[in-house]
């Protein structure tokens, strides 16, 4: 059956009203039966090589040994890419067209074109919440990992908060929290890059003859204040990018 579930030998008697096996009785993962379904690939008697027959065809007047090979068409699977930005602080930008992959071919997924401010893309998943099958950006789809053998598949982008390194410029002050610190977007500030030691506030630096006025995104108090004069983080400070 040309790669299907089994090869079988079926004896029949000439002029007995015999019919060929129906294609519905045979399965081949990832493929659909063609029409005509049977092709003669080794002919004896009054069979002819290359002769074709429909599924279930009447062969009552045929005689001689023959090999009939099933004909299959590889299925195509349509992949849809979902930005999956519901629940994120910011909406995704970018678009991605659907991608069609033919079963049995090794095909790379289209490169991710979505971006979300404050978040890093970490791959695709067949479930919105990441509990399904996972695929890296540009992963190769094979018969071993394809999530469906026909029809369509939706892949949902997976995101994690980006981590930013923040340098603290003390403007000739001394002491204070050791620089750098790390901002995990929309989550908090941390003293380590892996973001396991959270900072509730900063120890402020000192400078003789001056009062500390906080940390700003620009020099000399310009830009946006991120940390107050008391060392507390301002509201929405975790959303700076």
């Amino acid at each position: 059956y040309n790669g299907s579930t089994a090869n079988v030998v079926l004896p029949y008697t000439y002029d007995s009203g015999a019919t060929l096996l129906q294609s519905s009785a045979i399965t081949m993962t990832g493929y659909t039966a063609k029409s005509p379904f049977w092709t003669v690939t080794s002919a004896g008697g009054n069979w002819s090589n290359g002769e074709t027959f429909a599924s279930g065809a009447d062969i009552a007047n045929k005689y001689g040994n023959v090999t009939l090979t099933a004909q299959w068409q590889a299925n195509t699977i349509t992949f849809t890419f979902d930005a999956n930005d519901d629940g994120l602080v910011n909406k995704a930008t970018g678009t991605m067209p659907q991608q069609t992959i033919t079963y049995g071919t090794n095909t790379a997924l289209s490169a991710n074109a979505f971006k979300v401010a404050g978040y890093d893309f970490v791959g695709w998943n067949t479930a919105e919440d990441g509990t399904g099958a996972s695929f890296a950006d540009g992963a190769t789809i094979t018969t071993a990992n394809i999530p469906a053998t026909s029809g369509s598949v939706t892949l949902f982008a997976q995101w994690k908060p980006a981590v930013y390194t923040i340098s603290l410029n003390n403007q000739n002050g001394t002491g204070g929290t050791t620089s750098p610190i790390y901002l995990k977007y929309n989550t908090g500030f941390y003293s380590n890059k892996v973001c396991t030691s959270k900072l509730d506030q900063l120890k402020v630096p000192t400078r003789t003859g001056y009062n500390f006025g906080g940390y700003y995104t620009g020099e000399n108090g310009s830009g946006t204040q991120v940390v107050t004069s008391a060392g507390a983080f301002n509201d929405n400070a975790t959303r700076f990018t």
Side-chain angles (χ1 to χ4, degrees):
Y1 298 153
N2 194 25
S4 66
T5 53
N7 294 323
V8 297
V9 177
L10 299 175
Y12 72 97
T13 303
Y14 177 75
D15 199 22
S16 64
T19 59
L20 292 177
L21 195 64
Q22 293 279 355
S23 61
S24 58
I26 308 169
T27 60
M28 187 173 180
T29 300
Y31 293 83
T32 300
K34 286 184 176 181
S35 182
F37 185 59
W38 297 106
T39 298
V40 176
T41 53
S42 179
N46 67 346
W47 301 85
S48 298
N49 283 325
E51 193 175 7
T52 60
F53 296 87
S55 168
D58 183 354
I59 55 170
N61 295 319
K62 288 291 188 179
Y63 63 88
N65 294 330
V66 64
T67 298
L68 295 164
T69 301
Q71 303 300 304
W72 302 97
Q73 176 69 48
N75 294 334
T76 57
I77 299 91
T78 301
F79 285 75
T80 299
F81 302 94
D82 189 310
N84 196 25
D85 56 4
D86 290 344
L88 301 182
V89 174
N90 305 306
K91 290 298 182 181
T93 60
T95 59
M96 292 189 67
Q98 291 180 326
Q99 181 181 9
T100 299
I101 294 178
T102 301
Y103 186 86
T105 63
N106 294 338
T107 304
L109 289 173
S110 299
N112 173 50
F114 297 126
K115 292 183 179 180
V116 181
Y119 296 86
D120 293 330
F121 174 76
V122 294
W124 302 102
N125 198 280
T126 54
E128 290 182 71
D129 62 0
T131 58
S134 297
F135 299 90
D137 191 17
T140 298
I141 300 299
T142 68
T143 55
N145 67 5
I146 196 165
T149 58
S150 62
S152 60
V153 172
T154 298
L155 294 180
F156 297 91
Q158 301 296 301
W159 306 96
K160 70 175 183 179
V163 176
Y164 301 97
T165 301
I166 299 177
S167 297
L168 303 175
N169 186 340
N170 288 341
Q171 299 281 64
N172 296 318
T174 59
T177 299
T178 302
S179 180
I181 62 173
Y182 301 90
L183 165 61
K184 186 175 183 180
Y185 186 76
N186 197 41
T187 305
F189 292 86
Y190 297 82
S191 62
N192 58 341
K193 194 170 185 178
V194 293
C195 298
T196 55
S197 297
K198 195 169 187 178
L199 295 168
D200 294 322
Q201 68 175 53
L202 299 184
K203 180 181 178 182
V204 302
T206 59
R207 182 180 175 186
T208 302
Y210 293 83
N211 292 321
F212 177 71
Y215 285 109
Y216 290 74
T217 56
E219 292 185 3
N220 301 317
S222 63
T224 302
Q225 188 185 54
V226 179
V227 179
T228 70
S229 59
F233 296 106
N234 274 331
D235 293 341
N236 296 323
T238 61
R239 294 187 181 180
F240 290 121
T241 58

